[in-house]
Amino acid sequence: MLHFPAFPRIGGVLHCGASSVEDIAREVGTPLYIYNIDSIVGRLRQYTGAFETLPHTTCYAVKANSTGAVLHALARAGAGFDVNSRGELFRALRAGADPLRITMTGVAKTDADIDDALAAGILYFNAESAEECARIDALAARQNLHASVLLRINPDVDAHTHPYIATGLAEHKFGLSGNDALEAVKQFRGLPHVSLDGFGMHLGSQIFDPAVFVEGLDRMLDFIDSIAAELSAPLRVLNIGGGIGVPYAEDETAVAPADVARAIAASFERARRSSWAHHDGLRLVSEPGRYIVANEGILVARVEYIKRSGERNFLLLDAGMNDLIRPALYEAYHHVVLVIERHGGGEATYDIAGPVCESGDTFALARRMAAVKAGDLVAIHSAGAYGAAMSSIYNSRPFAAEVAVQDGSWFVARRRQTLDQIIENETTG
Ligand code: LLP
């Protein structure tokens, strides 16, 4: 049975914590994202606690949800942050993140990305190629700084996940393997402004089997053992990436971070005892995104029309694929519920779609759910991760408003974009 504790039903009305989703939607309008910030912080604490038997740092993957109120709450709770661009770095710093708890990932970092991260004094770069390491070295030299680098290894492990969100197979653009990784390691001897402080991986998203992490880590350790003679200094960090699975649908079973921590403990112990591990200790880093935020957010929409067309029964919303693209892009399942329960209304089957001029602008096909009337509010669950963060203004539909529920009250975390704001950077010649 799917259960979303961040969004309880009280008196038949969906709530976020103690705040009524209906009340918030009436005041702020739709489409509207609502996040339960208290649950997000709770997830961070639970996640970090699960790894406490290991020397571990959680670097929340900012790409999952980069809204300022979310980052601010996570920074206050002591999270580290993994950023994928200078924009995410800017957001993390603005939210009060400690630069020494910020790491930078990204397969094609620009000079501007690297320069900003160097100037901020981040903890380390997750580098993905020899060329990138050389670039970081050159830019660090220019700022007269020294940078810490982890090399991302591609361990060629099948994460058994959707092909669009798997990243750890040899065919993917991410990381390095075999001889290319070895060449990148050797290159460090000639790069005085960077030090190779560790290795990392990220295998993909929605990983439900802890054994996948073990397999990836073991392969990474085999690789490090095989090139240990080439290292110019002992290693301080191993990064196992993100990707812990979160249930969106009835048939998905939650995986506990504690199970992952337990599963990898023996491999980490092996690493700690290796000749290449720093005598001050070896630190484990992980980069959860979805686990922290996915089920702590919803997208609220109003039903504009119910339209019968031939065999199909369309439920047409005022939210579209520009607001939440996951169903269109990955055929992702998102649970949809009525905000206000209706007794005796029965059930119906709908194709749930948005207003965007694309056949792909669909949230669900042939979805069986409580019968709905035009004007009803619906909530699309599991929208806290890769929802607002991946939204666009296609069809000149303004970015949705975002509301944060925290400490028993709520506030607008991001005002709805205005039409003037849509065109503010444009000229007509
Ligand atoms: N670390 C790295 C290097 C990553 O590339 C990612 C996600 C993460 C950590 C966090 O992974 P998570 O714990 O959130 O699974 N837009 C897709 C997901 C793309 C994930 C990209 N990288 C979706 O909506 O499912």
Side-chain angles (χ1 to χ4, degrees):
M1 179 64 182
L2 266 179
H3 182 49
F4 300 102
F7 296 92
R9 208 167 266 288
I10 304 174
V13 179
L14 193 69
H15 280 60
C16 178
S19 303
S20 154
V21 169
E22 186 201 11
D23 290 350
I24 299 173
R26 197 180 315 115
E27 251 180 79
V28 181
T30 51
L32 164 68
Y33 276 97
I34 304 181
Y35 309 121
N36 188 328
I37 301 287
D38 300 319
S39 315
I40 288 174
V41 170
R43 296 284 282 185
L44 171 78
R45 297 223 161 99
Q46 185 224 354
Y47 183 94
T48 304
F51 282 90
E52 76 189 350
T53 51
L54 301 167
H56 170 260
T57 302
T58 304
C59 287
Y60 166 69
V62 172
K63 57 174 77 84
N65 186 324
S66 55
T67 300
V70 171
L71 300 186
H72 181 76
L74 290 173
R76 275 208 321 204
F81 295 90
D82 178 53
V83 300
N84 200 62
S85 67
R86 61 193 289 260
E88 288 186 357
L89 172 67
F90 174 75
R91 281 181 169 283
L93 292 171
R94 273 293 170 93
D98 174 0
L100 278 174
R101 296 176 80 80
I102 298 179
T103 63
M104 182 177 266
T105 326
V107 68
K109 299 178 191 75
T110 63
D111 285 3
D113 290 323
I114 296 167
D115 274 337
D116 284 8
L118 287 168
I122 66 164
L123 182 62
Y124 63 72
F125 291 87
N126 283 302
E128 304 221 11
S129 65
E131 292 76 3
E132 184 192 330
C133 298
R135 200 193 277 211
I136 297 171
D137 180 69
L139 293 171
R142 230 196 282 163
Q143 292 197 43
N144 203 16
L145 295 170
H146 190 89
S148 171
V149 169
L150 262 61
L151 205 54
R152 179 164 170 181
I153 296 301
N154 185 333
D156 196 17
V157 168
D158 188 351
H160 305 292
T161 187
H162 190 286
Y164 285 9
I165 55 174
T167 50
L169 284 171
E171 71 211 49
H172 295 129
K173 70 179 176 187
F174 301 101
L176 286 172
S177 49
N179 209 40
D180 298 315
L182 172 61
E183 288 307 315
V185 171
K186 284 185 180 163
Q187 190 197 214
F188 273 86
R189 291 192 192 284
L191 303 177
H193 289 269
V194 286
S195 51
L196 178 60
D197 285 328
F199 287 86
M201 63 182 193
H202 170 72
L203 301 172
S205 258
Q206 286 295 69
I207 300 170
F208 287 95
D209 182 359
V212 170
F213 288 96
V214 181
E215 197 183 335
L217 180 55
D218 284 344
R219 289 201 187 184
M220 187 158 83
L221 299 183
D222 291 345
F223 169 76
I224 303 174
D225 286 344
S226 74
I227 55 93
E230 302 294 339
L231 294 170
S232 36
L235 302 181
R236 297 171 184 275
V237 186
L238 292 176
N239 170 11
I240 57 165
I244 290 192
V246 170
Y248 286 52
E250 300 278 357
D251 59 352
E252 288 171 332
T253 321
V255 43
D259 291 341
V260 176
R262 245 190 311 278
I264 63 170
S267 302
F268 187 72
E269 191 49 39
R270 162 188 161 194
R272 241 188 336 195
R273 286 197 310 264
S274 298
S275 58
W276 45 259
H278 203 283
H279 57 75
D280 287 346
L282 190 62
R283 181 149 284 272
L284 181 71
V285 172
S286 67
E287 305 164 345
R290 192 187 312 268
Y291 187 85
I292 309 295
V293 289
N295 283 338
E296 334 310 309
I298 55 173
L299 173 61
V300 185
R302 200 167 284 283
V303 177
E304 291 287 347
Y305 300 97
I306 297 178
K307 167 175 166 176
R308 260 198 119 37
S309 177
E311 290 301 293
R312 315 299 296 188
N313 194 21
F314 290 100
L315 198 163
L316 299 171
L317 306 180
D318 66 358
M321 65 189 285
N322 67 296
D323 300 301
L324 176 68
I325 202 173
R326 301 194 71 258
L329 198 54
Y330 318 117
E331 295 172 354
Y333 178 94
H334 284 258
H335 202 59
V336 183
V337 297
L338 265 176
V339 169
I340 305 172
E341 229 165 35
R342 182 176 292 122
H343 290 291
E347 286 202 331
T349 303
Y350 301 106
D351 287 353
I352 307 175
V356 173
C357 296
E358 301 262 352
S359 302
D361 181 23
T362 308
F363 293 110
L365 290 176
R367 180 68 59 85
R368 193 84 191 142
M369 62 179 282
V372 170
K373 296 195 172 118
D376 282 348
L377 286 173
V378 297
I380 304 175
H381 274 293
S382 312
Y386 307 108
M390 288 179 80
S391 62
S392 76
I393 57 169
Y394 185 36
N395 278 198
S396 290
R397 293 169 40 76
F399 284 123
E402 294 171 63
V403 158
V405 174
Q406 193 169 16
D407 297 335
S409 63
W410 61 271
F411 59 92
V412 177
R414 185 191 194 182
R415 284 195 298 278
R416 186 177 310 288
Q417 192 181 31
T418 63
L419 298 183
D420 282 327
Q421 286 169 341
I422 287 184
I423 60 164
E424 70 187 353
N425 289 339
E426 298 184 13
T427 69
T428 49

